[in-house]
C-alpha cells in the first residue's frame, strides 16, 4: 500500500483517539493476555474487554461494530481491515462478543499467523477506537532436540528430546515416529525424558503433539553420503570454461552444505557453503580434487572426490642454464626449459633461431662445452593446445687465451737508434691482459710495447704473456742488432748510382750497333777513291769492375746469358792527317776494328 501524508495523518488521529480511549475515564480496553503462544495446527483465543460511556452530550452511545485487525496503517477517515474479510484467515477465524467482552478464535494455526493483533470497536457516534497496545501471538511447533550422538561404524545412536519454543497451556503429550512408524509410547511434556533411538543412514525421526498432526516437527535425518554430479569430468576441462558441481543428499534433508578443495599434503580448503559449486571461468590453479559435505545435528558425511583436471597451453615458459654462472670451457653445462602446462609439453631448443634438438624432458646437455657452443638460445614448449616460446638467453663460454701472436715492426734485424714496436694479441673470453718480459723481467703490461731508441743491449728474447681468470699462454720473439740506418742508406745509394751508370753504357752500345750498317758503304767509297786520308785504329776494351760492385756485374751477366756470342765488325771512316815518315804506299788503306764481347 502506498504511503501518503493523508494516510499518516489518519493513523495519527486514530492513535490519538485510541489514546483518548485509554486515557479518558469511561473509555478504554484491556487484553486478557499481552502475549499468546500457540502450537501450529492448534486453536488459540485472544480476548479483550472494552468500555465506553453510555451517553455523551445528552445522547445515548452504544457499540455498533467490533472486529480484530493486524493492520497498523489505513486510509484517513477509514478503518483497518477486518480479519474475517482477509483471505489468509478465511474460514479459520471467529469473533465472539458478549457484554463488552470480545474474543478472537483462530483455528488451524499457521506460522504465518504470528504477529500483533488489535481489537477495534465503533460507537453510534461513528467514531472508531483500537485498543492498544496489541496482543502478540507467536506460533510454535514440536522440535527434535539432539542432546547426544554416539557414532557406530554403520549407524548412530541419537539421544533425542521433543520440545517447543514456548510453554503451552495446558501441558501436552509428545509422540515419536521413526521412518513413519510410532516409536514407543507418547509422553507428557512435563515428564518426558530424552529418548535413545538408533538411526541408520537415510533413517529419519520426528516428534509431535498427540492427536495434532499439524504440530509434527520437521524430519531429522541420519544423513547418507552425498553424491556429486557430474560424477566424472572425463579427460578434463579447458581453461576458461564454466564448471558446475552439484552436491545432492538422498533423501532430501535439511542440512548444511560445504565444498572443499584438496591442497596438496596440507589438507583441504573450503571454497563454498552452497549445494552447488560454480566456477564461471576456470583457471589452471583450480586443478585439484574436490568433495562436498552435508551436516546436521546427527553428524557430517563426505562425498567421493572428483578430480578437476584443467587443460591449457604452456604458460610461463622459461629457459635457464645449469649452473647459472658463465661456464668455463670444458665444463658440463645443461639448459633446462620449464613451463606450466597441461597436458605435458614437448620441448624444442634453438640456437640463433636454428633448431639444435628436441627433448621431452626439457634438457640440452653439453658434456664439455666449447666456445663454438656459445650463442643465443631459446626453447619452445608445445602441447595439443598451442606452442609458446621462452625469452632468449645468451649462453657465454669463458676460455683461456689462445697462443698469442707476436710481431715486431720493422721485422728482422734492428739497427742501433731505430724505433721498433712489439705487438701481442690473443683470442680469449674474457678479454686477455698482457705482460711483456725481456730476458724474464717484466717491462710492460700493454698490448703494444714501443722502443723509440734501440740499443745493442736491448737485443734478445721478448716474451708476451696473455692471461685472464681462466688461464694464460706465452709466446716469444727475438730481436737482433743489425747495421745502422746511415750505413744502409749509403750502400743503397752507391748501388743505385752504379746501376744507373751501367744502364747508360749499355744504352750507348746498343745505339752504336744500330748505326754500324749505315757506315759501311761510306768506307767502300773511300777505298775506291783511294784518298790520301790516313786510317786510324780504334780499340774498345772493358776493364774489370771493382769488387764492391760485383753484385751489379753479376746481375748484368745474368741478364746477358741468353745473348748470342760472336764477332761483329764496325766500319771506321778515315780522315786526313799529316803523313808519317814510316807510312807506306797504302797508308790510307781500310783497317778493321774488332770488338769482341767476351764472357767474363
Amino acid at each position: 500500500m502506498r504511503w501518503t501524508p493523508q494516510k499518516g495523518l489518519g493513523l495519527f488521529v486514530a492513535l490519538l483517539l485510541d489514546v483518548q480511549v485509554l486515557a479518558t475515564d469511561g473509555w478504554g480496553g484491556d487484553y486478557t493476555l499481552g502475549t499468546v503462544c500457540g502450537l501450529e495446527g492448534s486453536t488459540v483465543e485472544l480476548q479483550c474487554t472494552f468500555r465506553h460511556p453510555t451517553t455523551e452530550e445528552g445522547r445515548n452511545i452504544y457499540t455498533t461494530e467490533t472486529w480484530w485487525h493486524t493492520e497498523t496503517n489505513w486510509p484517513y477517515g477509514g478503518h483497518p481491515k477486518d480479519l474475517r474479510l482477509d483471505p489468509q484467515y478465511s474460514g479459520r477465524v471467529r469473533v465472539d462478543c458478549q457484554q463488552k467482552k470480545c474474543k478472537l478464535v483462530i483455528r488451524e494455526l499457521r506460522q504465518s499467523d504470528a504477529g500483533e493483533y488489535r481489537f477495534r470497536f465503533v460507537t453510534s457516534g461513528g467514531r472508531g477506537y483500537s485498543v492498544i497496545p496489541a496482543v502478540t501471538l507467536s506460533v510454535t511447533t514440536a522440535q527434535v532436540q539432539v542432546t547426544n550422538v554416539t557414532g557406530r561404524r554403520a549407524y548412530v545412536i541419537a539421544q533425542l528430546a521433543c520440545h517447543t519454543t514456548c510453554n503451552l497451556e495446558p501441558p501436552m503429550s509428545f509422540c515419536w515416529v521413526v521412518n513413519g512408524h510410532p516409536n514407543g509410547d507418547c509422553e507428557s511434556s512435563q515428564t518426558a525424558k530424552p529418548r535413545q533411538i538408533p538411526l541408520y543412514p537415510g533413517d529419519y525421526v520426528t516428534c509431535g503433539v498427540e492427536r495434532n498432526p499439524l504440530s509434527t516437527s520437521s524430519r531429522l535425518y541420519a544423513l547418507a553420503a552425498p553424491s556429486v554430479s557430474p560424477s566424472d569430468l572425463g579427460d578434463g576441462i579447458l581453461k576458461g570454461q564454466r564448471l558446475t558441481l552439484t552436491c545432492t543428499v538422498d533423501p532430501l534433508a535439511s542440512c548444511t552444505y560445504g565444498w572443499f578443495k584438496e591442497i596438496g599434503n596440507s589438507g583441504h580448503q573450503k571454497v563454498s557453503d552452497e549445494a552447488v559449486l560454480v566456477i564461471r571461468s576456470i583457471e589452471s590453479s583450480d586443478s585439484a580434487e574436490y568433495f562436498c559435505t552435508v551436516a546436521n545435528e546427527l553428524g557430517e558425511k563426505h562425498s567421493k572426490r572428483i578430480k578437476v583436471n584443467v587443460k591449457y597451453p604452456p604458460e610461463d615458459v622459461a629457459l635457464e642454464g645449469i649452473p647459472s654462472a658463465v661456464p668455463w670451457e670444458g665444463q658440463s653445462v645443461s639448459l633446462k626449459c620449464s613451463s606450466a602446462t597441461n597436458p605435458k609439453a614437448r620441448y624444442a631448443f634453438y640456437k640463433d633461431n636454428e633448431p639444435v634438438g628436441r627433448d621431452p624432458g626439457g634438457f640440452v646437455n653439453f658434456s664439455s662445452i666449447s666456445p663454438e657452443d656459445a650463442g643465443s638460445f631459446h626453447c619452445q614448449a608445445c602441447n595439443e593446445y598451442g606452442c609458446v616460446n621462452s625469452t632468449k638467453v645468451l649462453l657465454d663460454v669463458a676460455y683461456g687465451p689462445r697462443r698469442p701472436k707476436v710481431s715486431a715492426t720493422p721485422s728482422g734485424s734492428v739497427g742501433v737508434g731505430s724505433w721498433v714496436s712489439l705487438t701481442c694479441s690473443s683470442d680469449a673470453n674474457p678479454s686477455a691482459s698482457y705482460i711483456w718480459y725481456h730476458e724474464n723481467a717484466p717491462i710492460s703490461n700493454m698490448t703494444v710495447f714501443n722502443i723509440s731508441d734501440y740499443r745493442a743491449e736491448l737485443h734478445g728474447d721478448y716474451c708476451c704473456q696473455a692471461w685472464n681468470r681462466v688461464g694464460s699462454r706465452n709466446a716469444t720473439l727475438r730481436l737482433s742488432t743489425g747495421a745502422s740506418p746511415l750505413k744502409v742508406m749509403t750502400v743503397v745509394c752507391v748501388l743505385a748510382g752504379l746501376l744507373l751508370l751501367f744502364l747508360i753504357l749499355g744504352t750507348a752500345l746498343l745505339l752504336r750497333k744500330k748505326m754500324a750498317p749505315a757506315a759501311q758503304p761510306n768506307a767502300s767509297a773511300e777505298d775506291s777513291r783511294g784518298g790520301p786520308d790516313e786510317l786510324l785504329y780504334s780499340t774498345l776494351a772493358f776493364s774489370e769492375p771493382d769488387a764492391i760492385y760485383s753484385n751489379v756485374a753479376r746481375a748484368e751477366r745474368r741478364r746477358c746469358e741468353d745473348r748470342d756470342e760472336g764477332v761483329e765488325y764496325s766500319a771506321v771512316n778515315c780522315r786526313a792527317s799529316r803523313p808519317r815518315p814510316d807510312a807506306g804506299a797504302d797508308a790510307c788503306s781500310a783497317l778493321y776494328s774488332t770488338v769482341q764481347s767476351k764472357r767474363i
Side-chain angles (χ1 to χ4, degrees), residues 488-506:
V488 172
M489 291 301 295
T490 301
V491 172
V492 171
C493 290
V494 171
L495 290 176
L498 291 175
L499 179 61
L500 180 60
L501 178 60
F502 186 78
L503 291 175
I504 293 173
L505 290 176

Side-chain angles (χ1 to χ4, degrees), residues 474-529:
N474 298 341
T476 303
L477 62 78
R478 174 177 289 275
L479 290 183
S480 59
T481 306
S484 66
L486 181 60
K487 291 181 180 180
V488 172
M489 291 301 295
T490 301
V491 172
V492 171
C493 290
V494 171
L495 290 176
L498 291 175
L499 179 61
L500 180 60
L501 178 60
F502 186 78
L503 291 175
I504 293 173
L505 290 176
T507 304
L509 286 176
L510 290 175
L511 292 175
R512 187 177 185 85
K513 290 178 183 180
K514 290 180 180 181
M515 294 176 63
Q520 186 66 33
N522 294 334
S524 299
E526 290 294 332
D527 289 342
S528 63
R529 289 195 298 268

Side-chain angles (χ1 to χ4, degrees), residues 327-330 335 351-352 356 366 368-377 394-400 402 427 429:
W328 288 13
E329 182 179 14
L335 294 179
K351 176 185 176 184
D352 300 327
V356 294
F366 300 92
S368 179
I369 199 165
S370 66
E372 291 74 17
D373 296 322
S376 177
F377 287 81
L394 181 63
L395 176 61
D396 195 15
V397 179
Y399 55 93
R402 301 304 189 237
D427 178 29
N429 186 29

